[in-house]
Amino acid sequence: MRGKRFSTGAALAVGSLAVAGMAFAPAAVAVTPDTATITADCGIFGSGEATLAATQDGTSATITVTSAITAPIALAEDSITSTLTLVNASGGTTTFSGTENPALAAGDPVTVGPLSGTVASGDSLDAYGGSLQIVVLGITVNCTATGPQSPGPFVFD
């Protein structure tokens, strides 16, 4: 019986330490806002509103773009190569890239991502002045924002 009480006490002590450790763990990093919209011009391929959704995990960040253009034909999953370049308020640019996209039916808005990139704490990134390049079936589509993001640039912790 004595061994059983010791095991129970040890388990409670370990559990208490785990809970205390969680209370003092660093808060998860976040990007604000986590979603922004832009008006994009993609030349002969169209223009309109695009949505950018950002996430952050330390210095790694991802952005998913639902663009202003539509798929002219059905496109397979992970068949689009994309590069998103955002302008940093402190100077320079940050690039997010990848080959991820959901399967798209003809007429669906082209969604790419999550596109991966590296950020630093305090980076303030905006699509205005940057670009989105999408390569699908050997055709390159270049899109640019016609104004700043709304509600504002992505600020990374």
Side-chain angles (χ1 to χ4, degrees):
M1 185 70 147
R2 187 175 191 170
K4 192 173 195 178
R5 277 188 281 176
F6 179 75
S7 296
T8 303
L12 287 172
V14 169
S16 296
L17 287 173
V19 169
M22 288 172 56
F24 295 106
V29 292
V31 55
T32 53
D34 59 356
T35 304
T37 58
I38 59 169
T39 301
D41 180 1
C42 301
I44 63 170
F45 297 99
S47 62
E49 188 172 276
T51 303
L52 291 78
T55 64
Q56 180 184 4
D57 183 9
T59 60
S60 297
T62 64
I63 298 182
T64 299
V65 180
T66 302
S67 73
I69 59 175
T70 57
I73 60 172
L75 298 170
E77 181 178 3
D78 300 337
S79 62
I80 301 172
T81 301
S82 306
T83 304
L84 174 67
T85 303
L86 301 178
V87 175
N88 195 328
S90 64
T93 59
T94 300
T95 301
F96 295 81
S97 59
T99 57
E100 294 189 45
N101 63 276
L104 301 168
D108 283 352
V110 173
T111 299
V112 295
L115 306 176
S116 300
T118 302
V119 296
S121 181
D123 277 356
S124 177
L125 305 178
D126 197 309
Y128 188 53
S131 64
L132 172 64
Q133 182 182 70
I134 299 171
V135 180
V136 59
L137 302 173
I139 299 169
T140 301
V141 178
N142 290 303
C143 300
T144 56
T146 59
Q149 288 177 196
S150 177
F154 293 120
V155 178
F156 295 87
D157 282 343

